[in-house]
Amino acid sequence: MQFDMRSLPMAVRYKIITSTITPRPIAWITSMSASGVVNAAPYSFFNAVGSEPPLVVLGLLKEPASRTLKDTARNIVETGEFVVNLVCEDDAEIMNQSSAAAPPEVSEIDYAGIRTEPSVVVAPPRIATSPVSFECRKVAALDIGTQQTVMIGEILYAHVRDEFVSDRERIYFDTPAMKLIGRTHGSGWYVRNSDAFQLERPRFDPSRLAPAGEDEAAGK
Ligand SMILES: Cc1cc2nc3c(=O)[nH]c(=O)nc-3n(C[C@H](O)[C@H](O)[C@H](O)COP(=O)(O)O)c2cc1C
């Protein structure tokens, strides 16, 4: 089956993307409004996209009903700061609660019962139960089309909970122990990060380019 994405309704395009580009890591974003209300919400249009400087990207869609910016997008545009907190299995339920469309004056920190700690270099707090948190500043907010803002952020300061640091000298983390979760296909489906396998990165091997039959001619 093929799809001409240019002519499909937005909801169908969303379905095709979210059912196939999986799993997606979840940024549980804390931000602060100009009037000081702390906001928390999960975003799975999220990934790391660079390390010099260290960059993350977020896809912040508009509210489907009102077509207005979600609180997270408005806060980041207004204040230029946010924290990306990664989500562990134990926080799945509370993270999900924080995705309810609460009005801007309601803090999901209280609504969902999220425990926070102060950040070091940005105003919004980080989530205390997250294995990893990244304090970020807005680098660019790109309105592409009318329904979304692509937010690029620079990670200024990183927190990795001590229990997940296996070697401080060599900066080794026990990532499987973090039990991070990701978003997968369909409404409300998640994946655990517990089915890893390893492949060594190969060196380039020019002999693989030998034309078919050449090996036989060479008596190999
Ligand atoms: C796991 C998960 C991932 C989500 N990912 C996104 C996303 O990438 N982009 C988006 O606009 N909304 C996403 N949402 C929906 C927002 O979390 C939801 O609209 C929320 O109410 C926004 O809150 P805010 O207005 O406080 O920012 C996601 C929801 C869940 C549960």
Side-chain angles (χ1 to χ4, degrees):
M1 196 168 178
Q2 296 173 336
F3 301 92
D4 186 343
M5 299 294 268
R6 298 165 294 183
S7 57
L8 291 172
M10 183 172 131
V12 179
R13 293 194 302 245
Y14 176 85
K15 195 171 174 182
I16 292 168
I17 290 170
T18 56
S19 303
T20 56
I21 302 179
T22 64
R24 299 185 301 283
I26 301 169
W28 197 7
I29 302 174
T30 39
S31 61
M32 195 183 269
S33 71
S35 60
V37 178
V38 176
N39 192 92
Y43 286 83
S44 71
F45 283 176
F46 156 62
N47 223 312
V49 288
S51 57
E52 181 57 38
L55 295 178
V56 292
V57 69
L58 307 166
L60 309 170
L61 311 181
K62 294 222 168 129
E63 281 292 358
S66 60
R67 300 275 177 240
T68 54
L69 288 184
K70 294 185 182 182
D71 298 340
T72 299
R74 187 174 343 93
N75 291 347
I76 300 174
V77 167
E78 284 179 9
T79 68
E81 295 184 340
F82 61 102
V83 183
V84 167
N85 305 275
L86 303 184
V87 184
C88 61
E89 289 176 29
D90 284 350
D91 281 344
E93 180 57 38
I94 192 170
M95 172 279 296
N96 193 33
Q97 286 298 328
S98 75
S99 74
E105 65 279 10
V106 172
S107 172
E108 291 86 359
I109 302 297
D110 306 324
Y111 176 81
I114 300 169
R115 209 155 52 77
T116 61
E117 296 276 354
S119 290
V120 176
V121 297
V122 300
R126 63 191 171 92
I127 294 177
T129 50
S130 286
V132 179
S133 299
F134 296 115
E135 298 183 29
C136 300
R137 74 169 184 95
K138 177 189 75 179
V139 173
L142 309 169
D143 291 337
I144 300 176
T146 58
Q147 303 305 324
Q148 63 200 359
T149 302
V150 174
M151 192 72 69
I152 300 172
E154 177 184 354
I155 300 173
L156 303 176
Y157 204 93
H159 302 258
V160 179
R161 284 215 329 253
D162 284 348
E163 65 201 270
F164 302 119
V165 180
S166 39
D167 187 329
R168 282 178 172 266
E169 301 286 299
R170 289 185 289 176
I171 321 283
Y172 285 171
F173 302 138
D174 187 354
T175 308
M178 295 177 189
K179 295 192 170 176
L180 300 175
I181 58 169
R183 196 80 157 84
T184 189
H185 62 282
S187 178
W189 283 95
Y190 294 86
V191 286
R192 297 187 177 86
N193 199 352
S194 53
D195 193 16
F197 64 95
Q198 191 174 26
L199 285 177
E200 296 299 332
R201 189 161 168 185
R203 285 180 189 280
F204 176 66
D205 174 6
S207 72
R208 292 174 61 96
L209 300 175
E214 195 172 271
D215 284 357
E216 286 159 40
K220 289 184 187 168

